[in-house]
């Protein structure tokens, strides 16, 4: 919130100028949208709450936050803290409930002026339709992804292996920008696959409150079963299962860290967002080839590029149709920089100054000047 307030003071003031002949005064105001709804997912309940509510409040709006039905306690506790520190009644409001009821009511509500949503592309389209069916409320959508991660043979291999591993297995794969389509150049392909298998097999599954654990459970049985179903399809369609592939243990919703090699671009595991700890690795020959393959998707949220060649890094990152491209790293997010996608990964941006534009209305005022003084 502090970061957003600091940025809003520099971007949402009044800009004034006189007409060419001095007979008019023209100024632009950035005003609060009004009542703003935020609908957030279960994978990062506190972080997503902060990403949405900070620009809402910094721009002078009131907020209605709808938390995911799987993770309601975080948002409700933040609401309790907001009351304790003195936020006026009605400024921060939190709803818990199911998407089709509570979320649907917000999306169709005639007195909500804007919705900021993070979640699946399927639900994002429903919210967009609801806007058209109600009051044409403004909508920003941060949706799903199937992000390509491209590793050239001139990379720092150790760095690329470590960053690519975390780019997929961070938060047990439950991350919209996960680097789930991993393209590795032929010269280092076999070695890279071997290193990724070692990294996956070294993950420690168990109680998340145990400091030794770095791989927890999936959110629920529905998500676990979806992941296992897609893994099974990968095996049936001919991908090479290198490790994992099944449920871990008989308690909880734990999925084994899974690595596929020799994945074809038309396989289900290469086209569908798995949202779990399943890595898919393919090989490529040239930069031109991999750019075309990487862009051959309905999604466009994020991408990664690993190379020591600066010219190649610039060429490939410029050609990728994605809202956020990482170079020689992955999943590094800075509060002051924008985050959001192309294509069916949504529109609008969270974070940074770009997020603020979604939470203000722009008003132009033109006034006649009775006497020219310049």
């Amino acid at each position: 919130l502090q970061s957003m307030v600091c940025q809003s003071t520099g971007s949402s003031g009044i800009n004034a100028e006189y007409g060419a002949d001095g007979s008019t005064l023209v100024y632009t105001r950035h005003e609060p949208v009004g009542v703003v709804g935020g609908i957030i997912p279960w994978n990062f309940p506190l972080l997503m709450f902060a990403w949405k509510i900070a620009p809402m409040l910094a721009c002078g709006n009131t907020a209605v936050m709808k938390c995911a039905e799987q993770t309601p306690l975080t948002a409700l506790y933040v609401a309790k803290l907001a009351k304790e520190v003195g936020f006026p009644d009605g400024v921060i409001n939190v709803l818990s409930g199911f998407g089709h009821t509570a979320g649907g009511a917000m999306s169709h509500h005639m007195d909500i002026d804007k919705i900021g949503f993070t979640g699946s592309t399927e639900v994002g389209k429903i919210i967009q339709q609801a806007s058209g069916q109600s009051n044409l409320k403004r909508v920003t959508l941060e949706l799903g992804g199937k992000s390509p991660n491209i590793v050239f043979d001139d990379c720092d291999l150790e760095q690329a292996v470590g960053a690519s591993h975390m780019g997929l297995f961070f938060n047990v794969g439950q991350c919209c920008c996960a680097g789930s389509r991993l393209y590795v150049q032929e010269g280092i392909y076999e070695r890279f696959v071997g290193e990724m298998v070692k990294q996956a097999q070294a993950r420690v599954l168990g109680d998340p409150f145990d400091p030794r654990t770095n791989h927890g459970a999936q959110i629920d049985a529905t998500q676990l079963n979806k992941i296992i179903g897609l893994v099974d399809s990968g095996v049936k369609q001919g991908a090479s299962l290198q490790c994992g592939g099944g449920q871990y243990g008989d308690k909880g919703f734990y999925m084994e860290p899974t690595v596929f090699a020799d994945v074809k671009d038309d396989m289900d595991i290469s086209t569908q967002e798995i949202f779990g700890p399943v890595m898919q690795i393919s090989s490529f020959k040239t930069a031109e080839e991999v750019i075309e393959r990487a862009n051959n998707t309905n999604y466009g949220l994020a991408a990664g590029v690993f190379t020591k060649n600066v010219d190649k890094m610039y060429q490939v990152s410029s050609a990728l149709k994605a809202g956020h491209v990482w170079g020689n790293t992955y999943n590094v997010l800075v509060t002051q920089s924008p985050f959001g996608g192309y294509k069916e990964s949504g529109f609008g941006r969270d974070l940074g100054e770009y997020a603020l534009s979604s939470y203000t209305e722009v008003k132009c005022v033109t006034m006649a000047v009775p006497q020219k003084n310049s």
Side-chain angles (χ1 to χ4, degrees), residues 4-82:
M4 286 295 173
V5 169
C6 290
Q7 293 182 75
S8 68
T9 55
S11 65
S12 58
I14 298 177
N15 301 314
E17 57 185 51
Y18 286 97
D21 61 357
S23 62
T24 55
L25 171 66
V26 182
Y27 62 91
T28 305
R29 289 173 52 87
H30 293 256
E31 301 178 344
V33 173
V35 179
V36 178
I39 302 177
I40 57 176
W42 46 258
N43 56 332
F44 296 102
L46 180 58
L47 184 68
M48 292 297 99
F49 190 99
W51 279 23
K52 297 300 185 192
I53 205 165
M56 292 178 188
L57 299 183
C59 293
N61 301 284
T62 57
V64 181
M65 299 294 295
K66 189 269 175 192
C67 46
E69 59 266 27
Q70 298 91 338
T71 54
L73 299 182
T74 306
L76 292 170
Y77 191 71
V78 172
K80 176 177 178 291
L81 294 176

Side-chain angles (χ1 to χ4, degrees), residues 84-228:
E84 288 180 7
V85 300
F87 274 92
D89 290 347
V91 173
I92 298 177
N93 308 275
V94 174
L95 297 178
S96 60
F98 292 99
H100 66 280
T101 52
M106 288 175 61
S107 301
H108 285 89
H109 204 291
M110 297 298 291
D111 293 326
I112 291 182
D113 303 297
K114 190 236 186 256
I115 291 283
F117 172 73
T118 295
S120 71
T121 297
E122 177 186 8
V123 175
K125 291 180 178 181
I126 293 172
I127 291 173
Q128 182 81 336
Q129 291 172 349
S131 170
Q133 293 166 358
S134 55
N135 60 345
L136 280 180
K137 57 177 61 64
R138 295 170 63 178
V139 175
T140 50
L141 304 171
E142 195 264 275
L143 307 176
K146 193 68 181 176
S147 301
N149 189 14
I150 301 169
V151 182
F152 288 94
D153 57 13
D154 63 352
C155 70
D156 180 322
L157 187 61
E158 182 179 357
Q159 179 188 47
V161 167
S164 298
H165 174 82
M166 287 306 299
L168 188 281
F169 289 104
F170 172 66
N171 205 38
V172 292
Q174 297 174 149
C175 186
C176 56
C177 58
S180 54
R181 288 189 295 142
L182 192 51
Y183 296 101
V184 181
Q185 202 160 21
E186 287 181 337
I188 60 170
Y189 180 75
E190 296 297 336
R191 183 180 172 190
F192 191 93
V193 171
E195 291 297 321
M196 294 309 300
V197 171
K198 290 179 184 178
Q199 293 259 351
Q201 292 176 330
R203 294 188 70 79
V204 180
L205 287 74
D207 183 352
F209 291 101
D210 185 335
R212 296 169 297 179
T213 299
N214 61 11
H215 191 102
Q218 310 309 132
I219 184 67
D220 56 23
T222 300
Q223 184 64 21
L224 176 64
N225 291 333
K226 173 192 172 184
I227 296 166
I228 292 174

Side-chain angles (χ1 to χ4, degrees), residues 91 215 237 284 291 370:
V91 173
H215 191 102
Q237 292 173 357
F284 72 92
I291 289 169

Side-chain angles (χ1 to χ4, degrees), residues 228-239 260 267-269:
I228 292 174
L230 282 165
V231 168
D232 290 345
S233 78
V235 173
K236 291 176 183 177
Q237 292 173 357
F260 278 103
M267 293 178 177
D268 290 345
I269 58 173

Side-chain angles (χ1 to χ4, degrees), residues 288-343:
E288 292 73 20
E289 171 205 339
V290 77
I291 289 169
E292 182 178 357
R293 291 171 65 190
N295 286 335
N296 186 25
T297 174
N298 293 334
Y299 296 109
L301 186 56
V305 182
F306 288 85
T307 176
K308 292 179 181 177
N309 186 312
V310 176
D311 290 340
K312 187 185 299 180
M313 177 73 74
Y314 181 81
Q315 172 203 1
V316 177
S317 62
S318 298
L320 291 172
K321 297 185 184 301
H324 200 120
V325 181
W326 285 286
N328 293 326
T329 187
Y330 208 95
N331 269 343
V332 176
L333 294 172
V334 179
T335 304
Q336 293 80 11
S337 62
F339 184 81
Y342 288 19
K343 300 189 281 187

